[in-house]
Amino acid sequence: MTAYPTRLDHPHDLVGIGIGPFNLSLAALADGVHGGLGTAFYDRSPAFRWHPGLLIEDATLQVPFLADLVTLADPTSRWTFLNYLKARDRLFPFYVAERFHILRAEYDAYCRWVSGQLPGLRFGHQVDAVRWNPERALFEIDFTQTGREGEAEALGRAHARNIAVGIGSEPYIPEPLRPLAEAPTVPVIHSADYLDHRDRLLAAGHITVIGSGQSGAEIFLDLLRCRPTGLERIHWLGRTEAFAPMEYSKLGLEHFTPDYTRYFHALPEHVRDELVPRQWQLHKGIDADTIAAIHDELYRRTLHGGWPDAVLTPGVCVRTAGRVGTTKVELHLEHAQQGARSRITTDAVVLATGYRERPLDGLLAGLDPYLRRDGSERLRVDEHHRIALAPAVTGSVYVQNAERHSHGVGAPDLGLAAWRSATILNHLTGTEPYPLPRRTAFTSFGLDGRDRTRPVPAPRGLVPLTEVR
């Protein structure tokens, strides 16, 4: 195995670890910084891929096309979605189509177009370790260059003044189902791998979909459309009390603005921790059009009498699960409101159980003595999306989509990608290559005006409140 020479004399201004949409956004905006930034972005995958297992036909993004990699920070950038359409000679068809929410597959194609042209992206590079070199005042990043099949080909080391970690999230499989997902005889697969196993799932006699969010709804609808009328044999189970719509009112969407992010970050830690679980419908609900399409498909199957053989049950959790012989799975269920328990036997299970932030402790183990943590031992992240480090470290480690505990439900939202990237670059450069809006929401999220950008005028004619004893 060969090794790259170390270049201490040419450190990067910024090294990105992971090339998902968020670090791709950062790389695209860094490309436009006047005077240039020395950057390199590493990812272990051989090429850009964005949830390939969920690029179901006709599935759309839940954010408008303006939530691309750069537009909300720099609409004049050459990396906008509209410029992608122009480069592909598709601008007028898009204009006529009047699509505000684009196909998920189209967003993936747009990101692949950017990643194929943007300089400084190094796919097939697995970052193994990160350290701080106090003598050089630089970060050291050790990596392994891999081949097409993931085999190690060469070792290398890069040096950087700053780092941006954007390694994304990973599929979450509930504890009772992990042993089943690891055994191959009966298909128990996460929704992230749905399209790879779709034919096998459709061949199963009975299918169970677990998860009441958008992915679960899209997969249930796709399976339903492909099954014969009256012989659907699909169960759809969810823990939430209802198959609920995503909060998509205009004022509700203001929770995904920089104003709300700043407000949330300023709240006490215990308040933030209590708040996030209560806001599940802001990001874990189902698009109203998808709900309507499911109901329309079920209704269509009643036109000639009878009901579809499909069971939709919310408010249910899987207590335990096990195999029945070699071809079936038995799920033991509990209904939260009834307190009732039951079981079903199925031939295949799709786990639309969401994602969890990938832990950073392993990757940043070399920085552990310098890391500052909150009361729950999570990394402290400041308003610039920078991990709090000991004063001895003069460089910055920024994080993307690893700060929901400190920045709220907008952390994984594509609509805040460009703003967060611009915030990072403004802080990193100490200038303002991307001037950001001073106010972004009509809602004032606090009483004291700290979330506002201009003074709140004193009210007139109010009678002072007195405490009744």
Side-chain angles (χ1 to χ4, degrees):
M1 186 182 301
T2 59
Y4 292 126
T6 300
R7 295 296 305 274
L8 276 169
D9 55 331
H10 285 84
H12 298 290
D13 295 310
L14 174 67
V15 160
I17 303 173
I19 309 176
F22 297 131
N23 261 358
L24 188 60
S25 165
L26 184 61
L29 287 173
D31 181 61
V33 172
H34 181 71
L37 279 176
T39 66
F41 287 76
Y42 299 94
D43 195 283
R44 64 185 178 184
S45 300
F48 183 90
R49 301 179 75 207
W50 185 71
H51 297 305
L54 282 171
L55 300 182
I56 300 169
E57 186 177 2
D58 295 331
T60 61
L61 283 186
Q62 292 175 282
V63 291
F65 74 90
L66 290 173
D68 62 13
L69 300 172
V70 295
T71 292
L72 290 177
D74 181 13
T76 66
S77 168
R78 68 185 182 117
W79 304 117
T80 64
F81 176 73
L82 290 179
N83 196 44
Y84 157 74
L85 292 175
K86 183 176 183 298
R88 293 297 180 93
D89 202 21
R90 297 180 56 232
L91 198 53
F92 271 90
F94 180 75
Y95 163 69
V96 173
E98 296 185 329
R99 282 185 176 272
F100 199 53
H101 291 80
I102 63 175
L103 294 173
R104 195 177 291 162
E106 188 168 29
Y107 178 79
D108 174 67
Y110 155 66
C111 288
R112 287 190 283 109
W113 173 78
V114 174
S115 68
Q117 301 181 79
L118 197 63
L121 305 186
R122 300 176 183 179
F123 292 98
H125 285 68
Q126 166 74 49
V127 173
D128 303 311
V130 177
R131 291 179 301 278
W132 175 250
N133 185 328
E135 295 179 359
R136 301 281 185 173
L138 294 172
F139 292 103
E140 296 177 345
I141 303 98
D142 291 344
F143 59 84
T144 302
Q145 185 178 4
T146 58
R148 285 179 170 269
E149 303 301 321
E151 71 280 7
E153 292 186 343
L155 301 177
R157 176 176 295 168
H159 294 85
R161 298 182 179 90
N162 305 282
I163 295 173
V165 181
I167 58 175
S169 55
E170 58 188 2
Y172 171 71
I173 299 177
E175 188 66 38
L177 293 157
R178 287 178 189 172
L180 301 180
E182 294 166 359
T185 53
V186 180
V188 179
I189 61 104
H190 192 274
S191 57
D193 302 313
Y194 171 66
L195 289 181
D196 292 337
H197 297 270
R198 184 171 179 269
D199 291 342
R200 187 182 179 198
L201 291 167
L202 287 172
H206 183 276
I207 310 170
T208 301
V209 179
I210 300 174
S212 54
Q214 182 68 20
S215 296
E218 289 175 351
I219 288 170
F220 175 79
L221 178 60
D222 186 60
L223 292 171
L224 181 64
R225 285 170 168 169
C226 295
R227 307 281 274 189
T229 299
L231 298 173
E232 295 85 2
R233 302 198 68 203
I234 308 175
H235 263 71
W236 183 19
L237 310 173
R239 286 192 308 168
T240 56
E241 295 179 355
F243 295 110
M246 184 85 74
E247 169 55 71
Y248 209 74
S249 66
K250 288 180 171 59
L251 291 179
L253 288 176
E254 290 196 339
H255 287 84
F256 299 96
T257 61
D259 278 10
Y260 182 76
T261 301
R262 286 189 289 264
Y263 161 78
F264 183 92
H265 187 269
L267 292 173
E269 180 184 329
H270 73 278
V271 176
R272 296 197 303 256
D273 289 346
E274 293 169 0
L275 188 55
V276 169
R278 299 205 305 264
Q279 295 178 321
W280 66 269
Q281 208 166 338
L282 287 171
H283 60 103
K284 291 185 178 180
I286 305 169
D287 175 77
D289 289 341
T290 306
I291 292 177
I294 289 172
H295 194 276
D296 289 348
E297 182 63 28
L298 292 169
Y299 177 76
R300 185 182 65 79
R301 290 165 183 258
T302 69
L303 295 181
H304 302 292
W307 286 70
D309 187 7
V311 179
L312 294 73
T313 310
V316 172
C317 70
V318 178
R319 295 174 50 247
T320 59
R323 296 194 179 277
V324 179
T326 58
T327 61
K328 294 182 182 296
V329 166
E330 185 174 86
L331 303 174
H332 295 225
L333 312 176
E334 182 171 8
H335 193 281
Q337 294 177 349
Q338 289 181 324
R341 293 183 175 182
S342 183
R343 65 182 67 183
I344 61 171
T345 302
T346 188
D347 300 298
V349 180
V350 182
L351 303 172
T353 47
Y355 296 79
R356 297 291 185 273
E357 294 174 357
R358 281 197 175 93
L360 302 182
D361 289 343
L363 177 65
L364 301 181
L367 298 177
D368 190 64
Y370 305 105
L371 302 175
R372 298 294 179 258
R373 300 179 183 274
D374 65 14
S376 299
E377 289 301 307
R378 299 166 300 198
L379 295 173
R380 285 171 47 200
V381 185
D382 71 13
E383 65 272 21
H384 305 293
H385 304 272
R386 178 182 57 168
I387 295 174
L389 299 169
V393 181
T394 56
S396 295
V397 178
Y398 302 96
V399 290
Q400 305 225 59
N401 192 16
E403 74 279 27
R404 185 181 293 180
H405 64 285
S406 60
H407 285 69
V409 294
D413 190 77
L414 293 175
L416 285 173
W419 170 79
R420 178 170 53 197
S421 295
T423 299
I424 290 171
L425 291 170
N426 287 353
H427 181 266
L428 183 151
T429 60
T431 59
E432 200 173 41
Y434 294 105
L436 295 174
R438 297 178 59 83
R439 186 174 177 184
T440 56
F442 292 110
T443 305
S444 298
F445 294 102
L447 284 178
D448 60 3
R450 283 183 295 182
D451 63 320
R452 302 291 292 263
T453 58
R454 50 190 177 187
V456 179
R460 298 179 179 179
L462 295 183
V463 178
L465 294 176
T466 58
E467 183 178 354
V468 179
R469 298 184 182 274

